[in-house]
Amino acid sequence: MPSLPGPPEAAHVIADDAEALKVAAALAEEFRTGAAERDATRRLPHAELDRLSASGLPAITVPAEYGGADVSAVSLAEVFRLLAGADASLAQIPQSHFVYVNVLRRQGSAAQQAFFFGEVLAGKRFGNAQSEAGTKHLQDIRTRLEPRADGSYTLTGVKHYSTGALFADWIPVLARAQDDELHVAYVPRDAPGLTVVDDWDGMGQRTTASGTVRLAGVPVPADRVVPHHLTFRGPQLHGAVAQLLHAAIDAGIASGALAEAVAFVRTKSRPWFESGFETAAEDPLLIQRFGELALQLRGAEALLAAAARAVDTASADLTDDTAAEASIAVAAAKVSAANAAVETGSALFEVSGTRSALHSLGLHRHWRDARTHTLHDPARWKVQHIGRYVLNGTPPPRHGLL
């Protein structure tokens, strides 16, 4: 069996939660500048992602015993909320990175953890090749991991919605082995037989490059394969952590849209002639609407923080009950944040007036990002699982999306 090479020299390593939040806030301010232009021209954020990697943020969930900050879920969610408030596309790109760091934490061998955590600490990025189009449903994964005589594997299949793959150093690929069980193969971006196609044309999150990954007999050493199916045998937080980050992105979109609406009404909107006021910001009807939007956002942010605390509680004492509580809390946060993102992105135009609809201003990116991102998985099923849990005590399923 081929051995994994040693990790490269490490880049900056964030020390703790406080530093992670400080770095995220500073980067968000950087990324806010140019976000509208990147969206309008679909300029992919290569330079911005390099800044993100150099900052050390992608390594903040590496366990302390491997040299990472091992930040709390509360801090991780806040990092994503801050980044998404500046640029929702840019914030979406590392979501899969953290999910697949988490897979290694759960199922990676000691050797795999030592190598891949070293890669992450050095600033290397994980993408994803997970979803497939044209199959029966989301979990109908047809990409195959075929064994070879020497103990290694080959990967064959086609993946879609592969956010982050174009920018990645490593692409985790979700595939089924001969026993039909799910595994994750960590494949280098330049592996022979692997092609990343930049064909994403979504109306929102335009710069995520969530395109196609083609796998044509890609060689995979045995020590780069992780038994992901074992994650779901017993209490787990895989889905809760992944969905927490999605909820944080939605909350960030809502906060970014509200901030833009505030700035626009204060500086550009004209008062409606019937109001009798000199400025739009004095209009009591607009004040009322901003109050409603602020309440919705505060509720979403509060549920996000509560969900993150529930994940931290379950992480400290993982049982069926604590895992279920975390999943339900995250589901509630995701539903609330999704509603806030879509409504605030739309209400931005309602409160700002006709001029805000100008294409050149790029304010529509908030609604487009919200509407696109919230399609990731249906909120209606989250409400169903919350209702079943509350009314009948039915624990949420362990399928990784809750």
Side-chain angles (χ1 to χ4, degrees):
M1 182 186 301
S3 61
L4 292 164
E9 183 180 351
H12 174 68
V13 177
I14 288 175
D16 53 28
D17 293 58
E19 186 184 3
L21 295 174
K22 182 178 179 180
V23 169
L27 284 178
E29 287 308 306
E30 280 188 37
F31 297 157
R32 196 182 314 279
T33 302
E37 180 270 334
R38 286 192 295 274
D39 172 82
T41 62
R42 197 175 177 271
R43 178 174 68 78
L44 299 181
H46 291 283
E48 289 78 10
L49 285 171
D50 286 345
R51 284 281 297 121
L52 183 71
S53 294
S55 77
L57 278 181
I60 58 175
T61 58
V62 170
E65 58 266 36
Y66 290 95
D70 202 5
V71 303
S72 67
V74 169
S75 295
L76 183 62
E78 181 63 5
V79 164
F80 271 81
R81 191 192 70 82
L82 289 168
L83 294 176
D87 185 337
S89 285
L90 213 160
Q92 178 65 38
I93 293 168
Q95 191 269 346
S96 292
H97 169 92
F98 283 96
V99 167
Y100 286 102
V101 169
N102 203 34
V103 168
L104 288 165
R105 290 186 62 143
R106 177 80 175 186
Q107 297 301 340
S109 67
Q112 288 172 328
Q113 290 175 346
F115 171 71
F116 281 114
F117 291 155
E119 290 282 278
V120 173
L121 286 166
K124 298 298 181 68
R125 295 190 290 262
F126 292 162
N128 97 87
Q130 179 170 290
S131 295
E132 300 178 11
T135 56
K136 185 176 180 180
H137 51 68
L138 182 68
Q139 295 198 325
D140 182 14
I141 301 297
R142 300 182 184 181
T143 297
R144 306 307 298 190
L145 189 66
E146 301 288 347
R148 301 174 68 182
D150 63 359
S152 66
Y153 299 90
T154 58
L155 271 173
T156 302
V158 180
K159 298 291 189 175
H160 298 270
Y161 312 114
S162 302
T163 303
L166 192 68
F167 313 105
D169 299 289
W170 292 90
I171 301 178
V173 180
L174 192 62
R176 294 193 184 277
Q178 279 191 316
D179 57 6
D180 216 36
E181 298 282 17
L182 281 176
H183 293 70
V184 175
Y186 289 75
V187 182
R189 169 69 176 79
D190 59 356
L194 188 154
T195 305
V196 180
V197 185
D198 182 20
D199 57 358
W200 171 242
D201 67 347
M203 69 173 181
Q205 294 198 300
R206 298 186 68 229
T207 61
T208 59
S210 301
T212 301
V213 172
R214 302 186 187 280
L215 305 145
V218 177
V220 185
D223 54 5
R224 291 180 187 172
V225 177
V226 175
H228 190 36
H229 59 98
L230 298 179
T231 299
F232 307 103
R233 297 180 183 175
Q236 50 81 39
L237 295 172
H238 175 79
V241 171
Q243 291 294 309
L244 180 70
L245 302 186
H246 283 306
I249 291 168
D250 287 339
I253 293 172
S255 67
L258 185 59
E260 290 244 40
V262 167
F264 196 94
V265 170
R266 285 178 178 175
T267 61
K268 295 182 176 66
S269 294
R270 296 183 296 177
W272 183 244
F273 70 94
E274 292 179 285
S275 73
F277 289 99
E278 291 296 315
T279 67
E282 297 173 281
D283 185 336
L285 299 181
L286 284 181
I287 290 171
Q288 177 71 21
R289 188 67 178 118
F290 272 98
E292 292 167 352
L293 294 172
L295 283 172
Q296 186 178 36
L297 177 58
R298 283 173 176 254
E301 290 174 343
L303 284 173
L304 177 67
R309 290 193 297 271
V311 170
D312 282 330
T313 296
S315 295
D317 180 21
L318 187 60
T319 66
D320 286 333
D321 289 340
T322 60
E325 286 286 346
S327 288
I328 293 299
V330 171
K334 182 65 172 68
V335 172
S336 178
N339 290 338
V342 172
E343 182 169 348
T344 308
S346 177
L348 187 159
F349 304 101
E350 169 197 338
V351 297
S352 300
T354 306
R355 185 182 174 191
S356 64
L358 293 177
H359 180 74
S360 59
L361 295 177
L363 297 177
H364 45 66
R365 75 184 186 281
H366 299 291
W367 182 85
R368 288 186 289 102
D369 285 344
R371 187 64 283 175
T372 301
H373 183 253
T374 54
L375 297 175
H376 188 273
D377 46 275
R380 60 186 177 273
W381 274 98
K382 298 184 187 303
V383 175
Q384 277 283 312
H385 291 306
I386 293 168
R388 293 171 183 175
Y389 184 74
V390 170
L391 183 60
N392 298 317
T394 305
R398 295 171 179 166
H399 53 40
L401 291 169
L402 199 68

